[in-house]
Structure formats: C-alpha cells, structure tokens
Amino acid sequence: IREFAEFNSGFRIAMRDLEIRGAGSLLGAEQSGHMIDVGYDMYLKLLEEAVLEERGEKPEQRAECAADLAVSANIPESYVPSQEQRMDLYRRIALVRTEAEADDLMDEVIDRFAPDMILVHGDTSTTFAGALSAFYHKVKIGHVEAGLRTYDKYSPYPEEMNRQLVTRLADLYFCPTENNRANLARESVTEGVFVTGNTVIDALKTTVRKDYRFTTEQLNELDYASRKVILVTCHRRENYGQPMEDIMSALAELAGTHPEAELVYPVHLSPVVQECAHRHLDGIGNVHLIAPLSADEMHNLMARCYMVMTDSGGLQEEAPALGKPVLVLRRETERPEAVAAGTVKLAGVERDAILALANELLNDPTAYAAMAHAVNPYGDGHACARIADAIEWYFGLRAERPEDHRA
C-alpha cells in the first residue's frame, strides 16, 4: 500500500492499493509525502494504528489478519446447527465488518488529508468501501484495474459486485486491457477510460531476484532445477463445499501419481480452507502446506516453480509474465485475455478435469512449452507511469492525453 502521496505539482492523492500490486512504483521515487508499502492483510490494522496515533491513543490488540473468517461473532450450534451454514454466516459478518471498519477509518483519513483524488485498486470489499467513502465526501475516484467482469454477481463473490459498484462511483478508469475497456463501453462508460496494462507487471520488476532468499526455510531447500515444483493456491468463497473437496482430492491424487513433483500450497487462514486442505493433504511427502506468503515471496516462488494451479485472480496475470503455465481452479474467469493468449487454461472445479489438464502439463513437454512461451497480454511494466500521467492530464498538469497501452 502506498497510502498517501503528494505530487510535486502540489495536489494530493490518497491511494489505496490493497494487494501491493505495483504500489511501490506507481507515483515514483521522486514524489514526496507519506508512503507505506505493506501487504493487504495488514491494511486495516496499519490504517487504524495511524489514525489512533494521530489522536494520541493506543490501538487495540488484535489478531494480525482481521480478514475473511477471523471475526468475534460466536454463533452457537443450537442456533445454526449446520457447520456449513455457520461458516456462511461468519463470512457474511466478516464482509460487513470489513466494509464498516474501512468506511469509518476512511472518513477520518479523508478529513485529515483532504485529497483531490482517491485511487482504489482491484475488487476487494475494502476497495468498494474506499470508493463509497470517497463518494460520500465528494472526492474524485480513480479505479486501478477497472473493467474486469464475469457478469455473475456471485462468482467471484463478493468481488464481482464490488468492482461493478466501484464503476458506478469512479471518475477515472485504469483498465489493464482493451477487453476491460470494451466491458465498460458496453455499460456506457466511455469518459475517463485509459488502457494502462496491469500494475502487477510493474511490481514484478522490483520483487523478483535470482539471489532472493525466502524467509520460509522450506522453500530455500526445494530443488527447483530437478523437481517439478507446483505452486497451489485455493481459497475463494465460491469454492467452499464440494468444489474445494474435489480440488483437494485432485491435488492429493496428483501428488501420489507424480513423485517427481513437489506441491507447495500456502494455505489461506480461513478455517474452512485450513480444515479441508489439511484433511486431504496432510502426511503426503511431496505436498508442503505452508503459511501464507508475502507478495515478494509469492512472486519469487512463482519465478522458480514449474507451473501454477490457482483460484486466484492476480496469479493469472503474474505467473504468465514469468513464463509459468496456469491452471485456473474456477468455473469462469474475469481474465479471458489470458485464456485467449494461451497462458492460462480453465480447469474448473471437478476432480477429473483438473487431473486431465495437470497430467498433460506434467507429461507432455510440447503442451507445457506452448503455454510457457505464450505472450502475456497484461502489460509491459509501465502501467504505473501511464496512470500517473493520466491523473496529471485529468487535473490539467500536462497538455496531451497519454497514449493507451497496446498489447
């Protein structure tokens, strides 16, 4: 997150990049002001601490990750007897709390810094809360990573509706691709739209290093040269239940039939994900269930791995930029450009379909090379500069409108 930055030209912009995806380079080293670069799990905690420090108060001690299911509600079994129903209720409570806390904190921050524009990045619930708070304060809004769509409001949930709602509030739209711009045009959004590429490609330039050493020692000990290391992530709410059971079953089968492979799975902190992953994958010698990784560790693991299996959105952009094939463990994707380019294949959530595609990449060098060498459609590493230029043009600080990115 680069929280607050001040342009040399004198106007102020409050930026919230909740996934550290390019935040470090968006405004450039020459800009002055308050800068914080951290991972998104710490966003609310850090913002609250900053506000309380300004008041001369001490922050309440709480768990590091206040996202997803880490909520204080106690739902008795006598009230909601089904474990699945209780988990669903926990999820909804967590979403409401996240948005409410972010909105309250943003009120104070906006009053304190009086920004001319607020940038919100992506499609998280705090992204929507930030945009809504800016709207209430009549502050201009720029949406980084605008125009992604599945047009299924429950998949991904709640991200699809978050980004659609942010579109209705925003003034500037920074689209990673031409397809994203076309989505907005179909919704009659044509003013203030820029095609920039994705800031995550910029971020990879600063995080991936050949001499990188992981803080998780287990990752330093893997033999990336002779073993086929498969990076796995699976955490989306819409995969809870039978889809996740099938995904975990497929991963266990894959590990058992491919002794040459090493599956590395940073397991999300959600109790639902933790329980399912450990039940299916504990005790399998070539499966490594590890704690969630920071952005730089994830980027460097992707750079060294053989391929990626994920239900994440961002990894569909990051891994192809590093020449790694991606199997998407979802029924649909808001990133069809990657599928069209051949860098990503939609594996779905059914066990046999997942195994068929994974086996193909592990057994067929030609199929692997076709995906690994496909052209990444998500940018050239200059998205952040294009966004900064577009903002300056919008505020009349440069004469010419910046050119759009052409893939």
Side-chain angles (χ1 to χ4, degrees), residues 14 33 65 79 91 109 114 117 123 126 169 191-192 199 233 346 393:
C65 181
Y79 176 59
R91 289 196 298 274
V109 169
M117 174 170 281
D123 50 26
T126 40
L169 298 171
E191 297 295 323
T199 56
T233 74
L346 203 58
W393 177 79

Side-chain angles (χ1 to χ4, degrees), residues 5-27:
E6 184 173 349
F7 273 6
N8 291 334
S9 53
F11 66 88
R12 289 193 284 186
I13 292 177
M15 178 189 173
R16 307 194 325 133
D17 180 313
L18 301 180
E19 299 178 19
I20 204 171
R21 293 154 56 110
S25 54
L26 176 56
L27 298 180

Side-chain angles (χ1 to χ4, degrees), residues 313-326:
L315 267 65
Q316 297 175 49
E317 299 165 341
E318 296 163 351
L322 297 168
K324 308 301 177 179
V326 180

Side-chain angles (χ1 to χ4, degrees), residues 114-389:
D116 295 282
M117 174 170 281
I118 293 178
L119 300 184
V120 294
H121 190 150
D123 50 26
T124 64
S125 294
T126 40
T127 297
F128 172 54
L132 190 61
S133 186
F135 166 72
Y136 287 154
H137 288 79
K138 296 185 178 181
V139 176
K140 299 293 185 181
I141 301 163
H143 187 196
V144 179
E145 203 175 74
L148 279 70
R149 296 289 188 269
T150 64
Y151 294 107
D152 177 349
K153 68 180 181 180
Y154 293 120
S155 182
Y157 171 81
E159 288 85 357
E160 176 64 16
M161 285 311 300
N162 285 340
R163 57 193 174 216
Q164 289 199 34
L165 293 168
V166 171
T167 294
R168 309 323 304 173
L169 298 171
D171 300 279
L172 295 183
Y173 307 85
F174 305 113
C175 301
T177 70
E178 284 288 348
N179 183 66
N180 303 146
R181 188 218 294 269
N183 288 340
L184 294 180
R186 282 191 288 271
E187 299 167 18
S188 300
V189 177
T190 57
E191 297 295 323
V193 180
F194 302 83
V195 179
T196 62
N198 200 303
T199 56
V200 69
I201 309 303
D202 303 36
L204 289 171
K205 289 184 173 182
T206 68
T207 56
V208 175
R209 304 194 309 272
K210 289 184 178 179
D211 62 348
Y212 187 84
R213 186 161 185 84
F214 298 97
T215 58
T216 304
E217 192 58 35
Q218 195 174 3
L219 298 180
N220 294 318
E221 296 169 355
L222 288 174
D223 185 354
Y224 298 94
S226 61
R227 306 284 288 170
K228 292 181 177 179
V229 177
I230 302 172
L231 170 60
V232 176
T233 74
C234 181
H235 69 280
R236 302 206 75 88
R237 295 178 181 91
E238 61 267 27
N239 278 342
Y240 286 5
Q242 193 58 49
M244 190 165 289
E245 294 288 335
D246 288 347
I247 290 168
M248 298 301 171
S249 176
L251 295 174
E253 175 71 15
L254 195 67
T257 56
H258 288 277
E260 79 281 9
E262 302 278 353
L263 277 66
V264 179
Y265 182 1
V267 185
H268 194 276
L269 297 178
S270 159
V272 176
V273 179
Q274 288 276 333
E275 189 279 329
C276 190
H278 284 282
R279 174 161 45 84
H280 282 274
L281 302 173
D282 270 351
I284 302 176
N286 58 339
V287 175
H288 310 276
L289 303 180
I290 63 174
L293 299 174
S294 63
D296 60 333
E297 290 206 301
M298 183 67 83
H299 289 172
N300 282 276
L301 179 55
M302 274 190 286
R304 300 181 190 187
C305 76
Y306 179 79
M307 70 181 196
V308 176
M309 301 176 68
T310 183
D311 63 359
S312 165
L315 267 65
Q316 297 175 49
E317 299 165 341
E318 296 163 351
L322 297 168
K324 308 301 177 179
V326 180
L327 297 182
V328 178
L329 306 175
R330 290 165 57 181
R331 292 188 176 93
E332 69 284 300
T333 178
E334 61 277 80
R335 292 168 171 86
E337 304 90 349
V339 176
T343 61
V344 163
K345 286 190 176 180
L346 203 58
V349 295
E350 295 181 358
R351 179 180 180 276
D352 290 346
I354 294 168
L355 284 170
L357 288 176
N359 284 326
E360 180 183 38
L361 288 175
L362 287 166
N363 296 330
D364 185 347
T366 302
Y368 179 87
M371 293 187 69
H373 298 147
V375 177
N376 176 46
Y378 290 111
D380 57 2
H382 299 288
C384 295
R386 291 189 184 96
I387 292 170
D389 288 347

